[in-house]
Amino acid sequence: MKISYNWLRQFIDLEWDADKTSDLLTDLGLEVEGIATFESVKGGLAGVVVGEVISCEKHPNADRLKLTKVNVGEAEPLQIVCGAPNVAAGQKVPVATIGTTLYSAEGEAWKIKKGKIRGEESYGMICAEDELGLGDDHDGILVLDESLIPGTPCSEIFDIEIDQVFEIGLTPNRSDAMSHFGVARDLKAGLEQQEVFVKVNTPPTSNFSVDNRSLKIDVEVHDNKLAPRYCGVTLTNLLVQDSPYWLQNRLKAIGLTPINNVVDATNYVLHELGQPLHAFDANKIKGAKINVKTLPKGTKFITLDGVERELHEEDLMICDTERPMCIAGVFGGQYSGVTDETTAIFLESAYFDPVSVRKTAKRHGLNTDASFRFERGIDINTTEYALLRAAQLIKEIAGGDISSEVVDLYPNKKEGFQVFLTFDHINKLTGQEIPRDSIKSILTSLEIKVVNVTEAGLGLIIPSYRTDVQREVDVIEEILRVYGYNKIEFNEKFTTSIAKSSVSESHKLQRIVGDLLTSQGFYEIMTNSLVSQEYPSWMNENERDRAIPIMNPLSGDLAVMRQTLLFSGLEAIAHNQNRQHNDLKFFEFGKEYNKGDKSNSEQTVVSLWLTGNTSRAHWTLKEKATGFFVLKGYVESILERLAVGLKKEIGFSDARFAEGLQFKVADVTIAELGVVNPGVLEKFDLKSPVFFANLQWDAIIQLGQFDAISFMEIPKFPEVKRDFALLVDEHIQFQEIKELAMGVEKKLLREVRLFDVYTGKNLPVGKKSYAVSFTLRDAKKTLTDKQIDATMERLQKAFQTELGAELR
């Protein structure tokens, strides 16, 4: 939110510089994120001075140029070549001297330099109105008042406003500070704690009066819950034109573009008092009546931006007797707004239900200054005051008459909220005792009324504009931020207790796995739980209907809860590869969300992505592409680190995986990994293969043996290795051989490793060759040849009997 310091000082008489004021605002909870300088004329006309044209002659080498001598208050006049048709001797003109920076209408800077034009030297520039940023006229140079003295800076002649603009990071609860008046109220409270006593000046409305009653427009509110208060008044005989410069400068300073004097007045009061207003062209209101109501679902309505929108049955609309004119609290309609031909208006000031406005704004993807304030809750008791203020301002700058009584439909008056504040609770939450007189003065400065005082505490009435202060703890927070967090003392001694916790707690295990993966070259990523509405259609058929949609998504790219982390990771890979980062290893801890028959579910998973090369090219080795078994090794290292027991491997493929493998423990799937389907990669414009693994974190935690510490002595006796070249059927997997071997020889067999696979010539059809290494060791003695041979014979017989394997 932008706050103009010049505008702020219209409410509060303060001589502090902007930096000092910003520090106080930040201490009060209105964090100033930056201060920008605003100039009504960019550059502030620095370097531009008054010049007197002493002589003006035709350029010797150009028909349309003039050669002038100009007195700019220096010892010698300047020779300046000028192409303006209206330049003449004796004129007082603005001169941009050498080194001056001027700005185009688009904000592009250009510097005045000494030049030679058609053979004649030129030492400056005589400027037109648009070249200085003072207007749009470029028909000729700007001629100044004859009484001006040459050399006078033009910044002293023209009314140039220089302002400091605060960029305030306003928290959503501080709806009371969404205006210059609201910030001034807070600033006053902070100043009083520093013994700087000032008064907040409110714009007067005591001179408001009805000039005639020639234009009455009736108002009917059909649902007081959606519009608890609605005010309006009519003005006639208006002249719609550009706003005066002072008003334009106020709006430009906070980033608004002036439109016309009527619309600018409503925007001015919005940012002055925080009350949104809307002006309807009264001649376009059919039936001379305003109806505040909802319309049937599907009703078409064209908003001010020219977009035809389909209304929801809960959208509150401002209508006349025939058609809708405005989405209440959100956006105006195309055919009811103020134009240059408007001569009469109905001026609206209302309080609309915050929840209703927010839902409507989100449904239609609209975010306006009005909806921003209505959503957070404005002051319902400022509605009429803001209307009177705006009506007087419009009458002041657009002429006209106030032509009706003020309509004020406010059936259920809102009173201040009552809270009882105990002194003990203040001391307990703040950690120290704040003087009671200071508490009372702070509450008074915040316009919180103290209605009764007891030894235990204070009875308070909270003003209606503080919608965020509803509990005793909220009042204590208000006291503390004004008193000053910096005044709260800290003890030198810090006492705490260490809570007993298990090593198997999820966050601790996540840290262990995260450290393991980062040590192996992975980078952790964090992606959004909301994903594109297209992603569910890329899932398996039985999963597509289980996607959980968002009721009011910000966009189609954030429309559903993710069912898998795969697609978010592919987005990250595409983002990096588009920036020449091709060798990637990512992991993420996150949640998957799915719709169930009775209730929705969410599961924690850890996902891994690999793509590119495992190593870069070097003079000692060639680059090596990553692959499925590299990924499998990483997954197995995680399971081994978490002490997950013996697992079963099952091959599969689906919409996500071209080829995949499932790890199961006791029929529980704990991991899926494989090659991402090329059709999915194509949707992300990825050319190189991507390998993806998804580990079911919740299941792994239940299966892991985290508390059991196991260790063994370093072997005293040597290992023996023997190899088999086994001829097996094509469908036999190495895992079957390994599991069978470990079951046959449980005592001596330490490791089974596959080191070669051959499928090709000289093998029977439907066969393949596995070269398998077996590591044997006895923990108590050195193995003999007889023991080794007997073991290998048992293994060979088992392979032959169970798997039909033959030795080659």
Side-chain angles (χ1 to χ4, degrees):
M1 183 183 71
K2 296 183 185 296
I3 293 292
S4 157
Y5 196 26
N6 288 351
W7 196 345
L8 188 63
R9 286 193 286 197
Q10 289 180 202
F11 289 99
I12 195 165
D13 187 15
L14 184 64
E15 298 301 324
W16 286 10
D17 61 35
D19 289 331
K20 188 175 181 180
T21 303
S22 74
D23 290 341
L24 179 55
L25 289 173
T26 299
D27 288 342
L28 288 168
L30 303 178
E31 182 182 0
V32 178
E33 298 175 342
I35 304 175
T37 299
F38 167 78
E39 296 169 325
S40 58
V41 176
K42 194 166 184 180
L45 298 183
V48 182
V49 298
V50 175
E52 181 180 7
V53 181
I54 299 173
S55 65
C56 179
E57 301 174 355
K58 182 178 176 299
H59 193 292
N61 302 316
D63 293 336
R64 297 186 178 181
L65 297 179
K66 304 286 182 62
L67 195 62
T68 67
K69 297 284 187 179
V70 183
N71 174 19
V72 293
E74 297 180 357
E76 297 292 333
L78 302 179
Q79 177 172 289
I80 299 176
V81 176
C82 181
N86 64 328
V87 64
Q91 292 175 335
K92 299 290 177 67
V93 294
V95 177
T97 55
I98 292 174
T100 299
T101 300
L102 299 179
Y103 297 86
S104 66
E106 294 75 27
E108 184 179 349
W110 49 291
K111 199 169 188 177
I112 303 298
K113 300 177 181 178
K114 174 186 174 182
K116 184 175 284 190
I117 303 175
R118 292 290 184 94
E120 295 293 337
E121 292 184 337
S122 182
Y123 294 90
M125 174 178 166
I126 303 175
C127 300
E129 183 178 282
D130 65 330
E131 292 165 336
L132 297 175
L134 296 172
D136 301 322
D137 187 9
H138 193 69
D139 292 338
I141 60 169
L142 179 62
V143 179
L144 304 176
D145 191 296
E146 293 182 357
S147 63
L148 295 174
I149 300 172
T152 303
C154 285
S155 58
E156 298 178 5
I157 300 170
F158 297 100
D159 186 16
I160 298 174
E161 181 165 357
I162 299 176
D163 196 359
Q164 301 296 312
V165 181
F166 302 124
E167 182 67 46
I168 295 180
L170 195 66
T171 54
N173 64 307
R174 292 302 309 276
S175 59
D176 63 297
M178 293 188 296
S179 65
H180 287 75
F181 179 57
V183 174
R185 277 188 310 221
D186 244 29
L187 189 57
K188 170 183 176 292
L191 288 169
E192 289 186 4
Q193 287 303 302
Q194 301 195 20
E195 297 187 352
V196 178
F197 298 96
V198 293
K199 180 182 178 182
V200 175
N201 304 308
T202 55
T205 58
S206 56
N207 293 330
F208 177 89
S209 62
V210 178
D211 298 306
N212 57 64
R213 293 168 177 79
S214 60
L215 182 58
K216 181 183 179 184
I217 293 182
D218 295 323
V219 177
E220 181 178 359
V221 176
H222 293 244
D223 189 340
N224 291 323
K225 291 181 179 179
L226 298 180
R229 188 174 191 182
Y230 192 94
C231 300
V233 71
T234 61
L235 289 90
T236 59
N237 301 320
L238 300 174
L239 178 60
V240 177
Q241 57 188 0
D242 289 341
S243 298
Y245 284 121
W246 70 265
L247 178 52
Q248 291 190 38
N249 289 337
R250 286 286 180 265
L251 298 181
K252 287 178 181 178
I254 58 173
L256 298 183
T257 301
I259 299 172
N260 59 55
N261 48 6
V262 174
V263 175
D264 291 350
T266 61
N267 285 333
Y268 181 86
V269 174
L270 165 67
H271 290 276
E272 180 184 50
L273 301 177
Q275 170 67 50
L277 302 110
H278 192 78
F280 299 92
D281 189 324
N283 295 322
K284 297 176 182 177
I285 300 176
K286 305 297 184 183
K289 183 176 180 180
I290 294 288
N291 288 292
V292 184
K293 62 181 182 179
T294 56
L295 295 175
K297 183 179 182 179
T299 302
K300 306 293 184 182
F301 178 65
I302 301 177
T303 45
L304 199 58
D305 55 0
V307 176
E308 184 179 72
R309 304 179 188 275
E310 196 170 287
L311 299 179
H312 188 273
E313 67 269 19
E314 294 180 359
D315 293 338
L316 186 64
M317 303 296 295
I318 310 300
C319 311
D320 57 20
T321 57
E322 297 181 9
R323 62 184 181 180
M325 299 188 298
C326 175
I327 303 177
V330 181
F331 209 25
Q334 188 177 44
Y335 304 114
S336 61
V338 174
T339 66
D340 292 344
E341 288 73 39
T342 298
T343 58
I345 64 169
F346 175 79
L347 187 60
E348 167 197 275
S349 178
Y351 179 94
F352 299 117
D353 178 64
V355 174
S356 172
V357 171
R358 180 168 178 78
K359 287 183 177 180
T360 297
K362 293 302 177 186
R363 270 194 292 267
H364 296 289
L366 294 170
N367 182 22
T368 61
D369 282 339
S371 67
F372 177 82
R373 286 160 174 78
F374 279 125
E375 288 173 15
R376 287 156 177 78
I378 60 171
D379 181 11
I380 193 170
N381 291 323
T382 303
T383 304
E384 184 186 24
Y385 168 68
L387 178 71
L388 302 182
R389 165 65 172 153
Q392 281 187 292
L393 181 59
I394 292 172
K395 184 177 178 181
E396 175 186 333
I397 62 178
D401 303 311
I402 295 172
S403 299
S404 74
E405 299 288 347
V406 173
V407 176
D408 185 7
L409 303 182
Y410 189 18
N412 302 310
K413 300 293 189 292
K414 184 177 180 180
E415 303 295 337
F417 189 80
Q418 295 188 10
V419 172
F420 187 78
L421 177 67
T422 59
F423 295 123
D424 287 344
H425 202 181
I426 297 174
N427 299 337
K428 180 180 178 182
L429 288 183
T430 59
Q432 71 182 53
E433 186 172 344
I434 299 176
R436 296 188 179 185
D437 289 341
S438 296
I439 292 172
K440 293 175 185 177
S441 67
I442 290 172
L443 293 172
T444 302
S445 68
L446 291 171
E447 299 181 5
I448 297 176
K449 293 181 181 179
V450 179
V451 292
N452 61 72
V453 181
T454 68
E455 192 62 31
L458 304 171
L460 308 173
I461 295 181
I462 312 299
S464 58
Y465 62 81
R466 291 312 305 268
T467 58
D468 61 319
V469 181
Q470 300 293 305
R471 303 168 300 168
E472 181 185 13
V473 69
D474 297 329
V475 178
I476 295 173
E477 182 184 1
E478 290 298 295
I479 293 170
L480 190 55
R481 72 178 181 84
V482 176
Y483 179 73
Y485 290 103
N486 296 333
K487 294 181 181 179
I488 301 299
E489 298 175 357
F490 292 90
N491 293 328
E492 295 182 1
K493 181 181 178 182
F494 184 73
T495 305
T496 186
S497 59
I498 300 175
K500 182 181 179 181
S501 61
S502 170
V503 71
S504 62
E505 290 183 3
S506 179
H507 70 278
K508 292 185 178 180
L509 297 176
Q510 287 187 21
R511 190 180 305 118
I512 289 171
V513 172
D515 290 343
L516 173 65
L517 291 172
T518 52
S519 70
Q520 294 172 333
F522 280 81
Y523 287 92
E524 184 174 9
I525 62 175
M526 297 178 69
T527 59
N528 203 325
S529 296
L530 303 180
V531 295
S532 170
Q533 58 192 1
E534 296 182 1
Y535 290 173
S537 64
W538 304 348
M539 301 286 290
N540 297 321
E541 188 173 350
N542 64 325
E543 296 174 318
R544 294 171 188 169
D545 296 333
R546 297 174 61 196
I548 302 173
I550 302 300
M551 292 182 63
N552 296 303
L554 294 174
S555 70
D557 292 334
L558 301 170
V560 296
M561 304 292 286
R562 66 183 175 197
Q563 295 172 275
T564 174
L565 274 63
L566 170 62
F567 304 128
S568 301
L570 294 179
E571 288 178 355
I573 290 173
H575 179 84
N576 280 271
Q577 289 191 347
N578 289 337
R579 288 154 181 80
Q580 306 302 314
H581 300 293
N582 298 314
D583 303 330
L584 302 170
K585 297 161 74 173
F586 292 152
F587 77 95
E588 179 178 8
F589 286 94
K591 289 184 180 293
E592 297 175 340
Y593 306 88
N594 285 281
K595 186 187 298 181
D597 295 332
K598 296 182 179 179
S599 62
N600 297 334
S601 65
E602 59 180 76
Q603 299 85 31
T604 303
V605 298
V606 55
S607 296
L608 283 67
W609 296 261
L610 295 181
T611 188
N613 296 314
T614 56
S615 59
R616 296 181 180 179
H618 188 263
W619 68 273
T620 61
L621 52 87
K622 295 181 179 180
E623 63 183 22
K624 183 180 179 181
T626 193
F628 170 79
F629 290 101
V630 176
L631 176 64
K632 184 183 177 187
Y634 290 132
V635 173
E636 288 180 331
S637 70
I638 294 173
L639 298 178
E640 182 180 351
R641 181 66 181 85
L642 297 178
V644 175
L646 189 65
K647 61 189 180 299
K648 184 188 299 182
E649 299 179 5
I650 302 174
F652 81 105
S653 63
D654 63 9
R656 292 171 294 167
F657 294 101
E659 294 180 272
L661 192 66
Q662 288 181 336
F663 286 173
K664 290 193 172 186
V665 175
D667 294 328
V668 176
T669 300
I670 60 171
E672 293 180 334
L673 60 149
V675 185
V676 178
N677 197 313
V680 174
L681 298 182
E682 187 177 347
K683 298 179 187 298
F684 292 90
D685 198 25
L686 294 173
K687 310 300 183 188
S688 57
V690 176
F691 302 90
F692 174 69
N694 200 50
L695 286 75
Q696 297 297 324
W697 186 252
D698 295 331
I700 290 172
I701 289 179
Q702 292 180 358
L703 293 169
Q705 303 294 321
F706 311 112
D707 295 325
I709 300 175
S710 62
F711 62 92
M712 63 180 64
E713 294 182 2
I714 297 175
K716 298 178 180 179
F717 302 98
E719 295 177 342
V720 176
K721 293 187 178 180
R722 292 290 186 268
D723 300 336
F724 275 165
L726 298 174
L727 188 66
V728 297
D729 293 337
E730 282 187 340
H731 69 273
I732 299 296
Q733 295 183 356
F734 168 69
Q735 186 68 20
E736 296 177 67
I737 296 174
K738 181 178 179 179
E739 289 177 358
L740 180 57
M742 299 301 290
V744 170
E745 182 52 70
K746 298 179 179 179
K747 180 180 178 182
L748 302 180
L749 188 58
R750 304 299 178 183
E751 182 182 17
V752 182
R753 185 170 62 87
L754 177 67
F755 63 89
D756 188 40
V757 179
Y758 176 70
T759 56
K761 295 180 180 180
N762 304 323
L763 291 182
V765 177
K767 297 288 186 177
K768 61 183 175 182
S769 176
Y770 276 163
V772 184
S773 174
F774 301 89
T775 302
L776 306 174
R777 188 182 70 244
D778 193 324
K780 297 181 179 179
K781 61 183 178 179
T782 302
L783 290 172
T784 64
D785 289 340
K786 185 176 180 180
Q787 286 178 298
I788 296 169
D789 292 340
T791 300
M792 299 307 294
E793 284 179 11
R794 287 198 303 275
L795 291 174
Q796 179 185 349
K797 186 176 180 180
F799 295 150
Q800 185 175 358
T801 303
E802 300 294 334
L803 303 177
E806 301 176 15
L807 288 181
R808 290 185 64 195

